[in-house]
Coordinates of all heavy atoms in Angstrom, one line a residue:
F1 N 52.3 -9.4 74.9 CA 52.7 -10.8 75.0 C 54.2 -10.9 74.7 O 54.8 -10.2 73.8 CB 52.0 -11.6 73.9 CG 50.5 -11.8 74.2 CD1 49.5 -11.0 73.5 CD2 50.1 -12.7 75.2 CE1 48.2 -11.2 73.8 CE2 48.7 -12.8 75.4 CZ 47.8 -12.1 74.7
R2 N 54.8 -11.9 75.3 CA 56.2 -12.3 75.0 C 56.1 -13.3 73.8 O 55.0 -13.9 73.6 CB 56.9 -12.8 76.2 CG 57.2 -11.8 77.2 CD 58.2 -12.2 78.2 NE 58.5 -11.2 79.2 CZ 58.1 -11.2 80.4 NH1 57.4 -12.2 80.9 NH2 58.4 -10.1 81.2
P3 N 57.2 -13.5 73.1 CA 57.1 -14.4 71.9 C 56.4 -15.7 72.0 O 55.6 -16.1 71.2 CB 58.5 -14.5 71.4 CG 59.2 -13.3 72.0 CD 58.5 -13.0 73.3
L4 N 56.7 -16.5 73.1 CA 56.1 -17.8 73.2 C 55.0 -17.9 74.2 O 54.6 -19.0 74.5 CB 57.3 -18.8 73.5 CG 58.3 -18.9 72.5 CD1 59.4 -19.9 72.9 CD2 57.8 -19.4 71.1
E5 N 54.6 -16.8 74.8 CA 53.5 -16.9 75.8 C 52.1 -17.0 75.2 O 51.9 -16.5 74.1 CB 53.5 -15.6 76.6 CG 54.6 -15.5 77.7 CD 54.4 -14.2 78.5 OE1 53.7 -13.3 78.1 OE2 55.0 -14.2 79.6
R6 N 51.3 -17.8 75.8 CA 49.9 -18.0 75.4 C 49.0 -17.0 76.2 O 48.0 -16.6 75.7 CB 49.5 -19.4 75.6 CG 50.2 -20.4 74.8 CD 49.6 -20.6 73.5 NE 50.3 -21.6 72.7 CZ 50.7 -21.4 71.5 NH1 50.5 -20.3 70.9 NH2 51.3 -22.4 70.9
V7 N 49.4 -16.7 77.4 CA 48.7 -15.8 78.3 C 49.5 -14.6 78.7 O 50.7 -14.8 79.0 CB 48.2 -16.6 79.6 CG1 47.4 -15.7 80.5 CG2 47.4 -17.8 79.2
C8 N 48.9 -13.5 78.6 CA 49.6 -12.2 78.9 C 49.9 -12.2 80.4 O 49.1 -12.5 81.2 CB 48.8 -11.0 78.5 SG 49.6 -9.4 78.9
S9 N 51.2 -11.8 80.7 CA 51.6 -11.8 82.2 C 51.0 -10.6 82.9 O 51.0 -10.5 84.1 CB 53.1 -11.9 82.3 OG 53.7 -10.8 81.6
V10 N 50.6 -9.6 82.1 CA 50.1 -8.3 82.7 C 48.6 -8.4 82.9 O 48.1 -8.2 84.0 CB 50.5 -7.1 81.8 CG1 49.9 -5.8 82.4 CG2 52.0 -7.0 81.7
C11 N 47.8 -8.6 81.9 CA 46.4 -8.6 82.0 C 45.7 -9.9 82.1 O 44.5 -10.1 82.4 CB 45.8 -7.8 80.8 SG 46.0 -8.6 79.2
G12 N 46.4 -11.0 81.7 CA 45.8 -12.4 81.8 C 45.0 -12.8 80.6 O 44.5 -13.9 80.6
S13 N 45.0 -12.0 79.6 CA 44.2 -12.4 78.4 C 45.0 -13.4 77.6 O 46.2 -13.5 77.6 CB 43.9 -11.2 77.5 OG 45.1 -10.6 77.0
T14 N 44.2 -14.2 76.9 CA 44.9 -15.3 76.1 C 45.1 -14.8 74.7 O 44.4 -14.0 74.1 CB 44.0 -16.6 76.0 OG1 42.7 -16.2 75.5 CG2 43.8 -17.1 77.4
R15 N 46.1 -15.4 74.0 CA 46.5 -15.0 72.7 C 45.5 -15.7 71.7 O 45.2 -16.9 71.9 CB 47.9 -15.4 72.4 CG 48.4 -15.1 71.0 CD 49.8 -15.5 70.8 NE 50.6 -14.7 71.6 CZ 51.9 -14.4 71.4 NH1 52.5 -15.0 70.3 NH2 52.6 -13.7 72.1
A16 N 45.1 -15.0 70.7 CA 44.2 -15.6 69.7 C 45.1 -16.6 68.8 O 46.2 -16.3 68.5 CB 43.6 -14.5 68.8
Q17 N 44.5 -17.7 68.5 CA 45.2 -18.7 67.8 C 44.9 -18.5 66.3 O 43.8 -18.2 65.8 CB 44.6 -20.1 68.1 CG 45.0 -20.6 69.5 CD 46.4 -21.0 69.6 OE1 47.1 -21.3 68.6 NE2 47.0 -20.9 70.8
S18 N 46.0 -18.6 65.5 CA 45.8 -18.6 64.1 C 46.3 -19.9 63.5 O 47.0 -20.7 64.3 CB 46.7 -17.5 63.5 OG 48.1 -17.8 63.6
R19 N 46.0 -20.2 62.3 CA 46.4 -21.5 61.8 C 47.9 -21.6 61.5 O 48.4 -22.7 61.3 CB 45.6 -21.9 60.6 CG 45.8 -20.9 59.4 CD 45.0 -21.3 58.3 NE 45.2 -20.4 57.2 CZ 44.8 -20.6 56.0 NH1 44.2 -21.7 55.7 NH2 45.0 -19.7 55.0
Y20 N 48.6 -20.5 61.6 CA 50.1 -20.5 61.4 C 50.8 -20.3 62.7 O 52.0 -20.2 62.7 CB 50.5 -19.4 60.4 CG 49.8 -19.5 59.1 CD1 48.9 -18.6 58.7 CD2 50.2 -20.5 58.2 CE1 48.3 -18.7 57.5 CE2 49.6 -20.6 57.0 CZ 48.6 -19.7 56.6 OH 48.0 -19.8 55.4
S21 N 50.1 -20.3 63.8 CA 50.8 -20.0 65.1 C 51.8 -21.1 65.4 O 52.9 -20.8 66.0 CB 49.8 -19.9 66.2 OG 49.1 -21.1 66.4
G22 N 51.6 -22.4 65.1 CA 52.5 -23.4 65.4 C 53.8 -23.2 64.7 O 54.9 -23.3 65.2
A23 N 53.7 -22.9 63.4 CA 54.9 -22.7 62.6 C 55.6 -21.4 63.1 O 56.9 -21.4 63.1 CB 54.6 -22.5 61.1
R24 N 54.9 -20.4 63.4 CA 55.5 -19.1 63.9 C 56.2 -19.4 65.2 O 57.3 -18.9 65.4 CB 54.4 -18.1 64.1 CG 55.0 -16.7 64.5 CD 53.9 -15.7 64.8 NE 53.3 -16.1 66.0 CZ 51.9 -16.2 66.2 NH1 51.1 -15.8 65.2 NH2 51.4 -16.5 67.3
D25 N 55.6 -20.2 66.1 CA 56.2 -20.4 67.4 C 57.5 -21.2 67.2 O 58.5 -21.0 67.9 CB 55.3 -21.2 68.3 CG 54.1 -20.3 68.8 OD1 54.3 -19.1 68.6 OD2 53.2 -20.9 69.3
Q26 N 57.5 -22.2 66.2 CA 58.7 -22.9 65.9 C 59.9 -22.0 65.4 O 61.0 -22.1 65.8 CB 58.5 -24.0 64.9 CG 57.6 -25.2 65.5 CD 57.3 -26.2 64.4 OE1 57.6 -26.0 63.2 NE2 56.7 -27.3 64.8
V27 N 59.5 -21.1 64.6 CA 60.5 -20.1 64.0 C 61.0 -19.3 65.2 O 62.2 -19.0 65.3 CB 59.9 -19.3 62.9 CG1 60.8 -18.2 62.5 CG2 59.6 -20.2 61.7
L28 N 60.1 -18.8 66.0 CA 60.5 -17.9 67.1 C 61.4 -18.7 68.1 O 62.4 -18.2 68.6 CB 59.3 -17.3 67.8 CG 58.6 -16.2 67.1 CD1 57.3 -15.8 67.9 CD2 59.5 -15.0 67.0
A29 N 61.1 -19.9 68.3 CA 61.9 -20.8 69.3 C 63.3 -21.0 68.7 O 64.2 -20.9 69.4 CB 61.2 -22.1 69.5
K30 N 63.4 -21.2 67.4 CA 64.7 -21.3 66.8 C 65.5 -20.0 66.9 O 66.7 -20.1 67.0 CB 64.6 -21.8 65.3 CG 64.2 -23.2 65.2 CD 64.1 -23.6 63.8 CE 63.7 -25.1 63.7 NZ 63.7 -25.6 62.3
L31 N 64.8 -18.9 66.7 CA 65.5 -17.6 66.8 C 66.0 -17.3 68.2 O 67.0 -16.6 68.4 CB 64.6 -16.5 66.3 CG 64.3 -16.5 64.8 CD1 63.3 -15.4 64.5 CD2 65.6 -16.3 64.0
L32 N 65.3 -17.8 69.2 CA 65.6 -17.5 70.6 C 66.6 -18.5 71.2 O 67.1 -18.3 72.3 CB 64.4 -17.5 71.5 CG 63.4 -16.4 71.1 CD1 62.1 -16.6 71.9 CD2 63.9 -15.1 71.3
L33 N 67.0 -19.6 70.4 CA 67.9 -20.6 70.9 C 69.3 -20.0 70.9 O 69.7 -19.2 70.1 CB 67.9 -21.8 70.1 CG 66.7 -22.7 70.2 CD1 66.8 -23.9 69.2 CD2 66.5 -23.3 71.6
P34 N 70.1 -20.4 71.9 CA 71.5 -20.0 71.9 C 72.3 -20.6 70.7 O 71.8 -21.7 70.2 CB 72.1 -20.4 73.2 CG 71.2 -21.6 73.6 CD 69.8 -21.2 73.1
P35 N 73.3 -20.0 70.2 CA 74.0 -20.6 69.1 C 74.6 -22.0 69.5 O 75.1 -22.2 70.6 CB 75.2 -19.6 68.8 CG 75.3 -18.8 70.0 CD 74.0 -18.8 70.7
W36 N 74.6 -22.9 68.5 CA 75.1 -24.3 68.7 C 76.6 -24.2 68.8 O 77.3 -23.5 68.1 CB 74.7 -25.1 67.6 CG 75.2 -26.5 67.6 CD1 74.6 -27.5 68.4 CD2 76.3 -27.1 66.9 NE1 75.3 -28.7 68.2 CE2 76.3 -28.5 67.3 CE3 77.2 -26.6 66.0 CZ2 77.3 -29.3 66.8 CZ3 78.1 -27.5 65.5 CH2 78.2 -28.8 65.9
E37 N 77.2 -25.0 69.7 CA 78.6 -25.1 69.9 C 79.0 -26.6 69.7 O 78.3 -27.5 70.0 CB 79.0 -24.7 71.3 CG 78.8 -23.2 71.6 CD 79.2 -22.9 73.0 OE1 80.3 -23.2 73.4 OE2 78.4 -22.3 73.8
R38 N 80.2 -26.7 69.2 CA 80.7 -28.1 68.9 C 81.5 -28.7 70.1 O 82.7 -28.9 70.1 CB 81.7 -28.0 67.7 CG 82.0 -29.3 67.1 CD 82.9 -29.1 65.9 NE 82.9 -30.3 65.1 CZ 83.1 -30.3 63.8 NH1 83.4 -29.2 63.1 NH2 83.1 -31.4 63.1
V39 N 80.7 -28.9 71.1 CA 81.2 -29.5 72.4 C 80.2 -30.6 72.8 O 79.0 -30.4 72.7 CB 81.4 -28.5 73.5 CG1 82.6 -27.5 73.1 CG2 80.2 -27.7 73.8
L40 N 80.8 -31.6 73.4 CA 79.9 -32.7 73.9 C 79.6 -32.6 75.4 O 78.6 -33.1 75.8 CB 80.6 -34.1 73.6 CG 80.8 -34.4 72.2 CD1 81.6 -35.7 72.1 CD2 79.4 -34.6 71.5
W41 N 80.4 -31.9 76.1 CA 80.3 -31.8 77.5 C 79.2 -30.8 78.0 O 78.8 -30.8 79.1 CB 81.6 -31.4 78.2 CG 82.2 -30.2 77.7 CD1 83.1 -30.1 76.7 CD2 81.9 -28.8 78.1 NE1 83.4 -28.8 76.4 CE2 82.7 -28.0 77.3 CE3 81.1 -28.3 79.0 CZ2 82.7 -26.6 77.4 CZ3 81.1 -26.9 79.2 CH2 81.9 -26.1 78.4
K42 N 78.7 -30.0 77.1 CA 77.8 -28.9 77.5 C 76.4 -29.4 77.1 O 76.1 -29.9 76.0 CB 78.2 -27.7 76.7 CG 77.4 -26.5 77.2 CD 78.0 -25.2 76.4 CE 77.3 -24.0 76.9 NZ 77.8 -22.8 76.2
K43 N 75.4 -29.2 78.0 CA 74.0 -29.5 77.7 C 73.5 -28.4 76.8 O 73.5 -27.2 77.1 CB 73.2 -29.6 79.0 CG 71.8 -29.9 78.8 CD 71.6 -31.3 78.2 CE 70.1 -31.6 78.2 NZ 69.8 -32.7 77.3
Q44 N 73.0 -28.7 75.6 CA 72.5 -27.8 74.7 C 71.0 -28.1 74.3 O 70.7 -29.3 74.3 CB 73.3 -27.7 73.4 CG 74.8 -27.4 73.7 CD 75.6 -27.2 72.4 OE1 75.2 -26.5 71.5 NE2 76.6 -28.0 72.3
P45 N 70.2 -27.1 73.9 CA 68.8 -27.4 73.6 C 68.6 -27.9 72.2 O 67.7 -27.5 71.5 CB 68.1 -26.1 73.9 CG 69.2 -25.1 73.6 CD 70.5 -25.7 74.0
Y46 N 69.5 -28.7 71.7 CA 69.4 -29.2 70.3 C 69.3 -30.8 70.4 O 69.8 -31.4 71.4 CB 70.6 -28.8 69.5 CG 70.7 -27.3 69.3 CD1 71.5 -26.5 70.1 CD2 70.0 -26.7 68.3 CE1 71.6 -25.2 69.9 CE2 70.0 -25.4 68.1 CZ 70.9 -24.6 68.9 OH 70.9 -23.2 68.7
E47 N 68.8 -31.4 69.4 CA 68.7 -32.8 69.3 C 70.1 -33.4 69.1 O 71.0 -32.7 68.7 CB 67.7 -33.3 68.2 CG 66.3 -32.8 68.5 CD 65.3 -33.5 67.6 OE1 65.6 -34.5 67.1 OE2 64.2 -32.9 67.5
D48 N 70.2 -34.7 69.4 CA 71.5 -35.4 69.2 C 72.0 -35.4 67.8 O 73.2 -35.4 67.5 CB 71.4 -36.8 69.8 CG 71.3 -36.9 71.3 OD1 71.6 -35.9 71.9 OD2 70.8 -37.9 71.8
N49 N 71.1 -35.5 66.8 CA 71.5 -35.6 65.4 C 71.4 -34.2 64.7 O 71.3 -34.1 63.5 CB 70.6 -36.6 64.7 CG 69.2 -36.2 64.7 OD1 68.8 -35.3 65.4 ND2 68.4 -37.0 64.0
F50 N 71.5 -33.1 65.5 CA 71.5 -31.8 64.9 C 72.7 -31.5 64.1 O 73.8 -31.8 64.5 CB 71.4 -30.7 66.1 CG 71.4 -29.3 65.6 CD1 70.3 -28.8 65.0 CD2 72.5 -28.6 65.7 CE1 70.3 -27.5 64.6 CE2 72.5 -27.2 65.3 CZ 71.4 -26.7 64.7
V51 N 72.5 -30.9 62.9 CA 73.6 -30.5 62.0 C 73.6 -29.0 61.8 O 72.6 -28.5 61.3 CB 73.5 -31.3 60.7 CG1 74.6 -30.9 59.8 CG2 73.5 -32.8 60.9
D52 N 74.6 -28.4 62.2 CA 74.7 -26.9 62.1 C 75.1 -26.5 60.6 O 75.6 -27.3 59.9 CB 75.8 -26.4 63.0 CG 75.9 -24.9 63.1 OD1 74.8 -24.3 63.1 OD2 77.0 -24.4 63.2
R53 N 74.8 -25.3 60.3 CA 75.1 -24.8 58.9 C 76.6 -24.8 58.7 O 77.1 -24.9 57.6 CB 74.6 -23.4 58.7 CG 73.1 -23.4 58.6 CD 72.6 -22.0 58.5 NE 71.2 -21.9 58.4 CZ 70.5 -21.4 57.3 NH1 71.2 -20.9 56.3 NH2 69.2 -21.4 57.3
S54 N 77.4 -24.7 59.7 CA 78.8 -24.7 59.6 C 79.5 -26.1 59.5 O 80.7 -26.2 59.6 CB 79.5 -23.9 60.7 OG 79.3 -24.5 61.9
F55 N 78.6 -27.1 59.5 CA 79.1 -28.5 59.5 C 80.1 -28.8 58.4 O 81.2 -29.4 58.6 CB 77.9 -29.4 59.5 CG 78.3 -30.9 59.5 CD1 78.9 -31.5 60.6 CD2 78.2 -31.6 58.3 CE1 79.2 -32.8 60.6 CE2 78.5 -33.0 58.3 CZ 79.1 -33.6 59.4
L56 N 79.8 -28.4 57.2 CA 80.7 -28.8 56.1 C 81.8 -27.7 55.8 O 82.6 -27.9 54.9 CB 79.8 -28.9 54.8 CG 78.9 -30.1 54.8 CD1 78.0 -30.1 53.6 CD2 79.6 -31.4 55.0
E57 N 81.9 -26.7 56.6 CA 82.9 -25.7 56.4 C 84.3 -26.3 56.6 O 85.3 -25.9 56.0 CB 82.7 -24.5 57.2 CG 81.5 -23.6 56.8 CD 81.3 -22.5 57.7 OE1 82.0 -22.3 58.7 OE2 80.3 -21.7 57.5
S58 N 84.4 -27.2 57.6 CA 85.7 -27.7 57.9 C 86.0 -29.0 57.1 O 87.1 -29.6 57.3 CB 85.8 -28.0 59.4 OG 84.9 -29.0 59.7
L59 N 85.2 -29.4 56.2 CA 85.4 -30.6 55.4 C 86.5 -30.4 54.3 O 86.5 -29.4 53.6 CB 84.1 -31.0 54.6 CG 84.1 -32.2 53.7 CD1 84.3 -33.4 54.6 CD2 82.9 -32.3 52.9
V60 N 87.4 -31.3 54.3 CA 88.5 -31.2 53.3 C 88.3 -32.4 52.4 O 88.4 -33.6 52.8 CB 89.9 -31.3 54.0 CG1 91.0 -31.3 52.9 CG2 90.0 -30.1 54.9
T61 N 88.0 -32.2 51.1 CA 87.8 -33.3 50.2 C 89.1 -33.6 49.4 O 89.9 -32.8 49.0 CB 86.7 -32.9 49.2 OG1 87.1 -31.7 48.5 CG2 85.4 -32.7 49.8
N62 N 89.3 -34.9 49.3 CA 90.5 -35.5 48.6 C 91.8 -34.9 49.1 O 92.6 -34.4 48.3 CB 90.3 -35.2 47.1 CG 89.1 -35.8 46.5 OD1 88.6 -36.9 47.0 ND2 88.5 -35.2 45.5
A63 N 92.0 -35.0 50.4 CA 93.2 -34.4 50.9 C 94.5 -35.2 50.6 O 95.5 -34.7 50.4 CB 93.1 -34.3 52.4
N64 N 94.3 -36.5 50.5 CA 95.5 -37.4 50.3 C 95.4 -38.2 49.0 O 95.8 -39.3 49.0 CB 95.6 -38.4 51.5 CG 95.9 -37.6 52.8 OD1 96.6 -36.6 52.8 ND2 95.2 -38.1 53.9
V65 N 94.9 -37.6 48.0 CA 94.7 -38.3 46.7 C 96.0 -38.2 46.0 O 96.7 -37.2 45.9 CB 93.6 -37.6 45.9 CG1 93.5 -38.2 44.5 CG2 92.3 -37.8 46.6
R66 N 96.4 -39.4 45.4 CA 97.5 -39.5 44.6 C 97.1 -39.9 43.2 O 96.2 -40.8 43.0 CB 98.5 -40.5 45.1 CG 99.1 -40.1 46.4 CD 100.2 -41.1 46.9 NE 99.6 -42.4 46.9 CZ 100.3 -43.5 47.2 NH1 101.6 -43.5 47.3 NH2 99.7 -44.7 47.2
D67 N 97.7 -39.4 42.2 CA 97.4 -39.8 40.8 C 98.1 -41.2 40.6 O 99.3 -41.4 41.0 CB 98.0 -38.8 39.8 CG 97.1 -37.6 39.7 OD1 96.0 -37.6 40.1 OD2 97.7 -36.5 39.3
C68 N 97.3 -42.1 40.0 CA 97.9 -43.5 39.8 C 98.4 -43.6 38.4 O 97.8 -43.2 37.4 CB 96.7 -44.5 40.0 SG 96.1 -44.4 41.7
D69 N 99.6 -44.3 38.4 CA 100.2 -44.7 37.1 C 99.8 -46.1 36.8 O 100.2 -47.0 37.6 CB 101.7 -44.5 37.2 CG 102.4 -44.8 35.8 OD1 101.7 -44.6 34.8 OD2 103.5 -45.2 35.9
V70 N 99.1 -46.4 35.7 CA 98.6 -47.7 35.4 C 99.8 -48.7 35.3 O 99.7 -49.8 35.8 CB 97.7 -47.7 34.1 CG1 97.3 -49.1 33.8 CG2 96.6 -46.8 34.4
L71 N 100.9 -48.3 34.6 CA 102.0 -49.2 34.4 C 102.6 -49.6 35.8 O 103.0 -50.8 36.0 CB 103.1 -48.5 33.5 CG 104.3 -49.4 33.2 CD1 103.8 -50.6 32.4 CD2 105.3 -48.5 32.3
Q72 N 102.7 -48.7 36.7 CA 103.3 -49.0 38.0 C 102.4 -49.9 38.8 O 102.8 -50.8 39.5 CB 103.5 -47.7 38.8 CG 104.2 -47.9 40.1 CD 105.6 -48.4 39.9 OE1 106.3 -48.0 39.0 NE2 106.0 -49.3 40.8
I73 N 101.1 -49.8 38.7 CA 100.1 -50.7 39.3 C 100.3 -52.1 38.8 O 100.2 -53.1 39.5 CB 98.7 -50.1 39.2 CG1 98.5 -48.8 40.0 CG2 97.7 -51.2 39.6 CD1 97.2 -48.1 39.8
V74 N 100.4 -52.2 37.4 CA 100.6 -53.5 36.8 C 101.9 -54.2 37.3 O 101.9 -55.4 37.6 CB 100.5 -53.4 35.3 CG1 100.9 -54.7 34.6 CG2 99.1 -53.0 34.8
K75 N 102.9 -53.4 37.4 CA 104.2 -54.0 37.9 C 104.1 -54.4 39.3 O 104.6 -55.5 39.6 CB 105.3 -52.9 37.8 CG 105.8 -52.6 36.4 CD 106.9 -51.6 36.4 CE 107.3 -51.2 35.0 NZ 108.3 -50.1 35.0
D76 N 103.5 -53.6 40.1 CA 103.3 -54.0 41.6 C 102.4 -55.2 41.7 O 102.7 -56.1 42.6 CB 102.8 -52.8 42.4 CG 103.8 -51.7 42.5 OD1 105.0 -51.9 42.2 OD2 103.3 -50.5 42.8
S77 N 101.4 -55.3 41.0 CA 100.5 -56.5 41.1 C 101.2 -57.7 40.6 O 100.9 -58.8 41.1 CB 99.2 -56.2 40.4 OG 99.4 -56.0 39.0
A78 N 102.1 -57.6 39.6 CA 102.8 -58.8 39.1 C 103.7 -59.3 40.2 O 103.9 -60.5 40.3 CB 103.6 -58.4 37.8
V79 N 104.4 -58.4 40.9 CA 105.3 -58.8 42.0 C 104.5 -59.6 43.1 O 104.9 -60.7 43.6 CB 106.0 -57.6 42.6 CG1 106.7 -58.0 43.9 CG2 106.9 -57.0 41.6
V80 N 103.3 -59.1 43.4 CA 102.5 -59.8 44.5 C 102.0 -61.1 43.9 O 102.1 -62.1 44.7 CB 101.3 -58.9 44.8 CG1 100.3 -59.6 45.7 CG2 101.7 -57.6 45.5
S81 N 101.6 -61.2 42.7 CA 101.1 -62.5 42.2 C 102.2 -63.5 42.0 O 102.0 -64.7 42.2 CB 100.4 -62.3 40.8 OG 101.2 -61.7 39.9
Q82 N 103.4 -63.0 41.8 CA 104.6 -64.0 41.7 C 104.9 -64.5 43.1 O 105.2 -65.7 43.2 CB 105.8 -63.3 41.1 CG 105.8 -63.1 39.6 CD 107.0 -62.4 39.1 OE1 107.9 -61.9 39.9 NE2 107.2 -62.3 37.8
H83 N 104.8 -63.7 44.1 CA 105.0 -64.2 45.5 C 103.9 -65.2 45.9 O 104.3 -66.3 46.5 CB 105.0 -63.0 46.5 CG 106.3 -62.3 46.6 ND1 107.5 -62.8 46.7 CD2 106.5 -60.9 46.5 CE1 108.4 -61.9 46.8 NE2 107.8 -60.7 46.6
L84 N 102.7 -64.9 45.5 CA 101.6 -65.9 45.8 C 101.8 -67.2 45.1 O 101.6 -68.3 45.6 CB 100.3 -65.3 45.5 CG 99.8 -64.2 46.5 CD1 98.5 -63.6 45.9 CD2 99.6 -64.7 47.9
A85 N 102.2 -67.1 43.8 CA 102.4 -68.3 43.0 C 103.5 -69.1 43.6 O 103.5 -70.4 43.6 CB 102.6 -67.9 41.5
G86 N 104.6 -68.5 44.0 CA 105.8 -69.2 44.6 C 105.4 -69.9 45.9 O 105.8 -71.0 46.1
A87 N 104.6 -69.2 46.7 CA 104.1 -69.9 48.0 C 103.2 -71.1 47.7 O 103.4 -72.1 48.3 CB 103.4 -68.8 48.8
V88 N 102.3 -71.0 46.7 CA 101.4 -72.1 46.4 C 102.3 -73.2 45.8 O 102.0 -74.4 46.1 CB 100.3 -71.6 45.4 CG1 99.6 -72.8 44.8 CG2 99.4 -70.7 46.1
L89 N 103.2 -72.9 45.0 CA 104.1 -74.0 44.4 C 104.9 -74.7 45.5 O 105.0 -75.9 45.5 CB 105.0 -73.3 43.4 CG 105.9 -74.3 42.6 CD1 105.1 -75.2 41.8 CD2 106.9 -73.5 41.7
F90 N 105.4 -73.9 46.4 CA 106.2 -74.5 47.5 C 105.3 -75.4 48.4 O 105.7 -76.5 48.7 CB 106.8 -73.4 48.4 CG 107.6 -73.8 49.6 CD1 108.9 -74.3 49.4 CD2 107.0 -73.8 50.8 CE1 109.6 -74.8 50.5 CE2 107.7 -74.2 51.9 CZ 109.0 -74.7 51.8
L91 N 104.1 -74.9 48.7 CA 103.2 -75.8 49.5 C 102.8 -77.0 48.8 O 102.6 -78.1 49.3 CB 102.0 -74.9 50.0 CG 102.4 -73.8 51.0 CD1 101.1 -73.0 51.3 CD2 102.9 -74.4 52.3
G92 N 102.5 -76.8 47.5 CA 102.1 -78.0 46.6 C 103.2 -79.1 46.5 O 102.9 -80.2 46.6
V93 N 104.4 -78.6 46.3 CA 105.5 -79.6 46.2 C 105.7 -80.3 47.6 O 105.9 -81.5 47.7 CB 106.8 -78.9 45.8 CG1 108.0 -79.8 45.9 CG2 106.7 -78.5 44.3
G94 N 105.6 -79.5 48.7 CA 105.8 -80.1 50.0 C 104.7 -81.0 50.3 O 104.9 -82.0 51.0
Y95 N 103.5 -80.8 49.9 CA 102.3 -81.6 50.2 C 102.4 -83.0 49.4 O 102.0 -84.0 49.9 CB 101.0 -80.9 49.8 CG 99.8 -81.7 50.1 CD1 99.3 -81.9 51.4 CD2 99.0 -82.2 49.0 CE1 98.2 -82.6 51.6 CE2 97.9 -83.0 49.2 CZ 97.5 -83.2 50.5 OH 96.3 -83.9 50.8
L96 N 102.9 -82.9 48.1 CA 103.0 -84.1 47.3 C 104.2 -85.0 47.7 O 104.1 -86.2 47.3 CB 103.1 -83.7 45.8 CG 101.9 -83.0 45.2 CD1 102.2 -82.6 43.8 CD2 100.7 -84.0 45.3
T97 N 105.2 -84.5 48.3 CA 106.3 -85.4 48.6 C 106.2 -85.9 50.0 O 105.5 -85.6 50.9 CB 107.7 -84.6 48.5 OG1 107.6 -83.5 49.4 CG2 107.9 -84.2 47.1

């Protein structure tokens, strides 16, 4: 028998079923599949949401992280809030006159 055959191609006899044959066939089918490639243009025998073991190898965590200085954040937020307060004051004076 070949790995996934149910009937022998030489003698024609059928393979005996065991209760683990479904799981064994799935494992054999996975072993016989060609390796997954990271290309969209090629038809591959994998599902659309297949995730390869090498998926996270190219992951870069926290590549652009900067340490924050709390005092600098407070200063910058004060500048923004002063601009907003000045704009509201300007519009309020213009609306009242």
Side-chain angles (χ1 to χ4, degrees):
F1 290 106
R2 291 196 177 109
L4 297 177
E5 283 185 344
R6 298 272 184 229
V7 178
C8 179
S9 59
V10 177
C11 66
S13 63
T14 59
R15 179 180 292 206
Q17 291 288 336
S18 70
R19 61 183 179 165
Y20 301 109
S21 66
R24 183 188 68 229
D25 288 347
Q26 289 176 354
V27 169
L28 285 174
K30 286 183 179 180
L31 290 174
L32 295 175
L33 288 175
W36 178 79
E37 295 179 51
R38 194 179 196 152
V39 292
L40 294 175
W41 54 267
K42 187 175 184 182
K43 180 68 175 163
Q44 300 185 57
Y46 296 97
E47 297 194 19
D48 290 340
N49 60 352
F50 178 76
V51 178
D52 189 39
R53 289 178 180 239
S54 66
F55 176 71
L56 293 178
E57 288 177 359
S58 62
L59 179 69
V60 178
T61 56
N62 299 331
N64 299 322
V65 171
R66 295 184 302 174
D67 288 334
C68 297
D69 182 28
V70 177
L71 184 59
Q72 187 63 37
I73 292 174
V74 170
K75 287 179 184 178
D76 292 342
S77 62
V79 170
V80 171
S81 60
Q82 283 180 354
H83 281 309
L84 289 174
V88 168
L89 185 64
F90 178 77
L91 292 175
V93 169
Y95 180 73
L96 293 176
T97 57

